Amino acid sequence: MPEIKLDAVDAAELAEILQFLSQWLARDPARLGDSFGEFVGHPAYGLAQLRGDLERFVFLLGGSDGEHLFGPHPPSPPHPQHPGETEPGPEGLQ
């Protein structure tokens, strides 16, 4: 495999973008999961697998220590409540 060199600043920026995407995917997995499932066309690769891949790339780029890759997953970001909602919806019960 050929060697590819990436400037440290570019690697950091790429890692930040990948983390941003992973956090966005965790924000509303019910709605995004349905759309992603239709796009992929097979249930074997879902949002959890995509987020895992993104986080591994972040680790390989030096954007994280990889601790969460080798242990329990950190909790997903909190879901915003809809106006008038007093308890988290079904997506908040993960």
Side-chain angles (χ1 to χ4, degrees), residues 8-75:
V9 173
D10 293 336
E13 188 172 339
L14 181 56
E16 287 177 5
I17 291 169
L18 295 174
Q19 286 175 320
F20 174 83
L21 290 173
S22 180
Q23 291 168 1
W24 175 66
L25 293 170
R27 187 78 171 175
D28 192 355
R31 187 169 48 171
L32 295 173
D34 290 342
S35 174
F36 186 70
E38 288 177 23
F39 177 75
V40 172
H42 196 279
Y45 191 78
L47 286 183
Q49 291 78 16
L50 175 60
R51 290 190 64 223
D53 288 343
L54 292 172
E55 293 301 325
R56 277 186 289 284
F57 288 133
V58 168
F59 169 70
L60 292 172
L61 289 166
S64 77
D65 61 7
E67 183 177 334
H68 61 282
L69 295 174
F70 306 107
H73 294 288

